[in-house]
Amino acid sequence: MNNLVVLPMVIPVLAGILFVFFRYQITLQRWISFIVMVGNIGIAAYLLYLNQIEGIQRIDFSGWKPPFGISFVADSFSLILVLITSLVAAICLVYAFSSIGEEREKMYFYSFVNFLVAGVNGSFLTGDLFNLYVCFEIMLLASYVLIALGGEKAQLRESIKYVLINVLSSWFFLVAIAYLYGSVGTLSMAHISERIAEVGQTPLLTVISIVFLTVFALKAGLLLYFWLPGSYSIAPTAVAALFGALLTKVGIYAMFRVFTLFFYHDHSITHTFITVLAALTLIGGSIGAVAYKDIRLIVTYNVVIAVGFILVGLAVATPEALEGSIYYLMHDMIVKALLFLIAGTMIAVTGTTRIDEMSGLIRNYPLLGWMFFIVMLSLAGIPPLSGFIGKVLVGQGAIEAESYILLALAFISSIFVLYSLLRVFLQCFWGETIISSEDEVPMKKGWIIPCAILTIATIVLGLGAEIIFPYVSDAANTLLNPSDYIDAVLTQD
Amino acid sequence: MEILIIILSGVLFTTAIYNLLQKQLLRIIIGTVLLSHGAHLMILTMGKLKTGLPPVLTEGVTDYTDPLPQALILTSIVISFGITGLLLVLAYRTTQENNTDNMEQLRGKSNE
């Protein structure tokens, strides 16, 4: 029992509710929501440290022992993700302070950001399947509002599609839960895993696993990503950065949980499915990333490629590959937030979204340009930066599992990432400058500082791989040995 | 009994998906409502439709229906109610702003 485990979800919820009463005190809302996120970083870091000493932490609500009550379970994988989520949310909030505009701030913007983070953290920490559904809905409802907030034509149009596709995937989730409850008769994740291990993975359970795969593929944008580019490219920059960094990652997390904890018995069917989906996602994302001249679309298709890449690790499921995926997941959350923020800043200073209308920005905004350069190298996986170690480990895992086609696709997709971003870099930052020094939009500190912090974070994550490694390898270990998780949850203390 | 209810929820799913594929926005929303009805029925059926008393503790009764699916359904009814409310308002605003409720026309640069 450790009451700290629930705090990353509870504190943002309470803050969000508090803001309803202080609608016009924007400064207060800004400060409190920033402090909440920083506090969450501290809590997650402390829990991560505790995890190394005492093992997996959990809390049973109102003393009901699992499997009868709902519990929150914090293993290294969840906590790493909570930590990065809080970091990214804090930085996106700083960006939002100077970019989102007073109109939106007065319409409960910070409440909804807090609810979004609460939903994301809850999804990472929960140990109950139906509770996972509820946390997904908290997160999604907040995201529906954030995407439509402001009520511009394009926003309304895309938000309708976004809401509809998510209603459909929630329906899939409900039906999948119903099927699973009908066949194993429990909802606690550890208990489900235990019961599936007892009866063996019958064909019926394999079918249910495919339904789960559909659900999380829709949420994460694994092949079923047709809704993603539209809805992620019309939101305001800070919101788009939050979405790009957090929302699809929750789907990926859920997929990792489900396919390492419940359905790990019949690799030949489920993992072949994931392999094919990951391969197609890599191909589709790569084509999308090089096809467009709208910088927002290039960036959103890069999200799709990353989803495919992370799922390669799950598809081959060797220890190295899982470590690599977890590493890449951390890196991707930070770098995607940074990429969205830089792209948004470029749009803000030039007033256009098309890359063939921008040129020579490096003259006016050198710092922004070099940060974009670093992001590009980091995403492509150039050694000192954070993308490298994840790619190497995933590649190593794929070689061990002898899935060479997947390996080739994963690494060729890196070239496409590099090409798509290099195109943006050369087109927008190099060349003849289009902005004269008179009508140059001054770069706000609130724009450049969040980007700088994230750039430092990606460098630190790359250089400090050795320090982070024990946590990552612990997370991969728990994923590979479901018995650790089950023992931690179902032992009565 | 389970067979009948499963066929019923199958029919609900079919009509729901037919409605979701229509062009008119309101029909699509009706589709989502039917979809959640079907899912709720499905959860109830999956908890086995044994004959038993309502799950309220009373003296001398030992045979109750499964209370867990009912709690799940109650939760998910509230959630889908909230989403349907949001969706209806969103559809109203979209129709006002974009001057059309036809999904075929709600796309592309022309509506920006």
Side-chain angles (χ1 to χ4, degrees), chain A residues 144-337:
Chain A
Y144 300 157
V145 177
L146 283 175
I147 211 170
L149 198 66
E152 292 158 19
K153 263 187 178 185
Q155 271 187 316
L156 287 169
R157 191 189 69 216
E158 292 301 334
S159 64
I160 279 276
K161 293 167 193 170
Y162 179 69
V163 175
L164 284 174
I165 202 71
N166 278 304
V167 168
L168 193 72
S169 73
S170 299
W171 167 72
F172 265 116
F173 202 174
L174 270 183
V175 171
I177 289 174
Y179 285 154
L180 198 59
Y181 181 72
S183 40
V184 298
T186 177
L187 286 172
S188 158
M189 287 190 190
H191 203 213
I192 291 173
S193 170
E194 200 183 45
R195 288 207 171 159
I196 290 178
E198 274 168 21
V199 295
Q201 196 172 326
T202 55
L204 182 65
L205 284 167
T206 308
V207 172
I208 295 170
S209 77
I210 303 296
V211 182
F212 272 107
L213 184 63
T214 320
V215 179
F216 299 133
L218 265 171
K219 308 259 187 204
L222 179 69
L223 186 63
L224 308 173
Y225 59 77
F226 39 83
W227 55 272
L228 196 144
S231 40
Y232 281 21
S233 58
I234 43 90
T237 308
V239 176
L242 271 176
F243 281 19
L246 305 182
L247 294 196
T248 54
K249 308 303 181 286
V250 181
I252 295 173
Y253 164 82
M255 216 177 300
F256 269 80
R257 260 290 169 254
V258 165
F259 283 96
T260 56
L261 191 60
F262 305 166
F263 307 112
Y264 56 90
H265 303 279
D266 199 351
H267 274 236
S268 63
I269 298 176
T270 52
H271 288 242
T272 315
F273 251 99
I274 299 174
T275 308
V276 174
L277 289 180
L280 291 174
T281 312
L282 284 168
I283 296 170
S286 302
I287 294 173
V290 295
Y292 290 97
K293 285 195 169 156
D294 185 324
I295 184 164
R296 296 173 305 181
L297 285 173
I298 296 173
V299 170
T300 47
Y301 274 102
N302 271 301
V303 174
V304 175
I305 300 178
V307 172
F309 193 88
I310 294 166
L311 265 300
V312 168
L314 179 62
V316 298
T318 59
E320 282 80 19
L322 280 180
E323 275 166 14
S325 283
I326 294 165
Y327 219 104
Y328 201 78
L329 198 55
M330 298 165 72
H331 144 82
D332 196 58
M333 287 168 88
I334 290 175
V335 172
K336 280 292 140 55

Side-chain angles (χ1 to χ4, degrees), chain A residues 51-75:
Chain A
N51 233 11
Q52 293 286 307
I53 306 169
E54 296 175 4
I56 297 170
Q57 306 284 313
R58 77 159 206 267
I59 175 174
D60 309 325
F61 293 137
S62 32
W64 286 91
K65 296 286 175 213
F68 303 110
I70 293 174
S71 32
F72 265 26
V73 185
D75 64 349

